[in-house]
Amino acid sequence: MNPLDGERVLLGVTGGIAAYKSVQLARLLVQAGATVKVVMTESARRFVGELSFQAVTGQPVVHDLYGADAADGMAHIDLTRWAGHFIVAPATAHLLARTAHGLADDLLTNLLLAWEGRLILAPAMNRAMWQHPATQANVRLLQERGVVVAGPGRGDLACGETGEGRMLEPETLADYIRPSIEPALQGRHVLITAGPTVEAIDPVRYLSNRSSGRMGYALARAARDAGAAVTLISGPTHLQAPAEITTLSVQSAEDMHEAVMQALPCDVFIGAAAVADYRLPEPAPQKLKKSSDTLALNLVRNPDIIHAVAQSGQAGFVVGFAAETRQVETHARDKLARKGLDMIVANPVDGKDTGFDVDYNQGLIIDTQRSIALEPQPKWRMARKIIEAIAERLKTGE
Ligand code: CTP
């Protein structure tokens, strides 16, 4: 079971050096469960061979408006009817211009004109071409029309310059393809904390924990896919920032507390972060030297973020997490009541393959009325179930 099972993606590829990266994009989408059909422009075929895409997707590649591809002369209509998603990566300045002005002089631009769904364009070009008033005007026109312009990012460009114009990485672009799930949180603001917090001891040392942030990030994506506007407040992690989610990076529990309070109000708050309970009141300004055999750190309590959110009255529905090593349900129910939560997800963290820093998790969704068992499963799937349970409660609560 994969997050994009059953999804049908049309991937347009235009003639830019970044076209080689689109092979990886196609591969990631296929690995995530999607069926991918690639449409290339003539100039794209000068950069990458269609065989590469064909091998990766297991599907024939199409490019010719009049050729055998379009057996009945209706390839543009057939393909747009078939697809559930449409992304063009890389999208050259020329493709942006043609799309903005409704030109349809090859198969790809015909498809774009016949497409009625959400369109994602991933620009890639030289910095000056991107900044050119003509390109910028085209981008504005496309955005006004609801087209999702993904990137470009900053960095080294193939032309040797550095600046804005780089196509986003395939991993990030793949995240723009949202699974077709019930838009049960449409119009809601969901605020999520994720990852560990880091509490400074001195300029080079800190106190932290083993949270990877994966569960919180999976929840952020699941809420986004269910139609919510999501704000993710994350402690330090190695994870890629999710697409189309406002992500703020913080270090300490105090930073996280402040960022959360500023991001309120929200319809749903999910506290998935493993917030350090204690910190040093004054981290040492210089690196500590080992002058004695033992070292005692004097710690003070950190703010309880989720409790503060529940007390504020500015979050409609508050969901906590309880990672426990024993008496999981008892401790979780106690936290539900003590912190004034509407729901808590309890998960045992002594399992070998579930819990911290792994892709699987298990647990119990608990609220005052019931508890739902979640068997060991990938975090993305567990996240969808938690979001469904929250949406269900919001619906019945209205
Ligand atoms: N939490 C929080 N702020 C804190 C501590 C915890 O927002 N300072 C949130 C976590 O994000 C989680 C829930 O509270 O949603 C439970 O976290 P946990 O660390 O298990 O709770 P504690 O109150 O720290 O309980 P324990 O006594 O088990 O440490």
Side-chain angles (χ1 to χ4, degrees), residues 227-262:
V230 181
T231 307
L232 175 64
I233 298 181
S234 172
T237 71
H238 297 291
L239 304 174
Q240 162 204 320
E244 299 183 274
I245 286 177
T246 307
T247 305
L248 305 172
S249 300
V250 295
Q251 295 283 319
S252 67
E254 283 187 304
D255 296 343
M256 188 175 272
H257 179 243
E258 201 184 313
V260 164
M261 289 306 170
Q262 277 185 12

Side-chain angles (χ1 to χ4, degrees), residues 172-178 221 224 240-246:
T172 308
L173 290 177
D175 197 27
Y176 276 84
I177 305 296
R178 300 177 176 190
R221 290 190 168 99
R224 173 200 67 190
Q240 162 204 320
E244 299 183 274
I245 286 177
T246 307

Side-chain angles (χ1 to χ4, degrees), residues 193 253 269 271-277 302-307 319-324 335 338-339 344:
T193 64
F269 175 82
V275 185
D277 291 323
N302 265 330
D304 189 321
I305 300 169
I306 205 164
H307 187 246
V319 185
F321 267 75
E324 304 288 349
K335 270 177 205 172
R338 182 159 44 87
K339 298 194 183 219
I344 194 158

Side-chain angles (χ1 to χ4, degrees), residues 181-350:
I181 59 179
E182 175 100 12
L185 292 181
Q186 194 71 46
R188 308 277 194 176
H189 178 213
V190 177
L191 176 58
I192 301 179
T193 64
T197 65
V198 160
E199 312 296 329
I201 297 173
D202 67 18
V204 294
R205 303 182 180 95
Y206 58 78
L207 292 172
S208 192
N209 59 65
R210 291 182 54 198
S211 168
S212 66
R214 285 194 184 119
M215 195 62 227
Y217 279 54
L219 282 159
R221 290 190 168 99
R224 173 200 67 190
D225 295 342
V230 181
T231 307
L232 175 64
I233 298 181
S234 172
T237 71
H238 297 291
L239 304 174
Q240 162 204 320
E244 299 183 274
I245 286 177
T246 307
T247 305
L248 305 172
S249 300
V250 295
Q251 295 283 319
S252 67
E254 283 187 304
D255 296 343
M256 188 175 272
H257 179 243
E258 201 184 313
V260 164
M261 289 306 170
Q262 277 185 12
L264 287 172
C266 64
D267 298 295
V268 178
F269 175 82
I270 308 178
V275 185
D277 291 323
Y278 296 94
R279 70 173 185 279
L280 268 78
E282 296 274 340
Q286 306 298 336
K287 188 181 168 197
L288 294 175
K289 289 293 178 193
K290 47 178 175 309
S291 48
S292 58
D293 288 343
T294 58
L295 173 68
L297 295 175
N298 199 8
L299 304 176
V300 295
R301 279 285 281 273
N302 265 330
D304 189 321
I305 300 169
I306 205 164
H307 187 246
V309 169
Q311 292 285 301
S312 75
Q314 291 198 80
F317 194 82
V318 182
V319 185
F321 267 75
E324 304 288 349
T325 52
R326 63 196 164 89
Q327 289 181 288
V328 178
E329 184 160 357
T330 315
H331 283 308
R333 283 205 177 275
D334 172 56
K335 270 177 205 172
L336 179 78
R338 182 159 44 87
K339 298 194 183 219
L341 311 179
D342 298 295
M343 182 183 279
I344 194 158
V345 182
N347 61 303
V349 287
D350 48 359

